[in-house]
Amino acid sequence: MSELELVVDGDVLSAALLPDAAPESVAAVREFTPLETELLHVRWSGHATWINIDGIDLPEIPRENHTVYPSYGDLLLYPGYRNEQEILVPCGPTCFKSPAGELAGNHFATLDTPRDELAELEERTLREGALDATLRISE
């Protein structure tokens, strides 16, 4: 079984992919990983971080397993229906939104990371700014 790994400043966070619930989202993520990027604090959505993927040429992806209110560690792929493309990484109470209003992202993977570690990660991005990150598939 393959997993997704989010590496932030050398710390590896593992996530289970959800190919049955979000097949086209998982396929798209497989296509553009590995990705060297930055993890940023969200501006609008609450206790979360995000990865900007606006520069990636994504295929047309339907809404699948989508939500506005993800739980801790529920990774959402947002293909840019009304705002820039991104991956949302919820670290606490989150309502996914932007200046365009509430957004529904496709829940394509779930991090296996304790809540306190996610909260600490979100706090770091708030205090320190962007953190170096890599998103990759692990078999």
Side-chain angles (χ1 to χ4, degrees):
M1 176 162 110
S2 61
E3 290 186 330
L4 185 73
E5 292 180 337
L6 174 60
V7 183
V8 182
D9 282 349
D11 294 329
V12 180
L13 309 177
S14 296
L17 291 167
L18 304 172
D20 293 336
E24 292 186 47
S25 297
V26 169
V29 170
R30 286 180 178 280
E31 285 296 315
F32 69 74
T33 53
L35 176 67
E36 299 290 326
T37 188
E38 293 179 324
L39 187 69
L40 307 158
H41 192 273
V42 297
R43 293 173 285 206
W44 305 95
S45 300
H47 298 276
T49 59
W50 69 294
I51 297 169
N52 185 325
I53 57 169
D54 216 32
I56 294 174
D57 187 20
L58 291 176
E60 190 169 321
I61 299 171
R63 294 183 190 275
E64 52 185 12
N65 201 30
H66 58 287
T67 183
V68 174
Y69 299 99
S71 188
Y72 297 76
D74 289 352
L75 302 181
L76 303 186
L77 173 66
Y78 184 73
Y81 308 115
R82 296 187 319 171
N83 201 43
E84 60 196 346
Q85 298 175 162
E86 68 181 84
I87 293 176
L88 184 76
V89 183
C91 300
T94 301
C95 173
F96 187 26
K97 55 187 165 182
S98 75
E102 288 186 354
L103 306 173
N106 295 346
H107 177 198
F108 73 95
T110 303
L111 286 168
D112 180 26
T113 305
R115 287 182 178 197
D116 60 330
E117 290 180 30
L118 288 173
E120 183 179 307
L121 179 64
E122 182 257 341
E123 278 291 320
R124 281 188 60 208
T125 62
L126 182 61
R127 284 190 321 267
E128 300 172 24
L131 301 174
D132 290 334
T134 301
L135 197 62
R136 64 187 183 205
I137 300 292
S138 128
E139 297 297 331

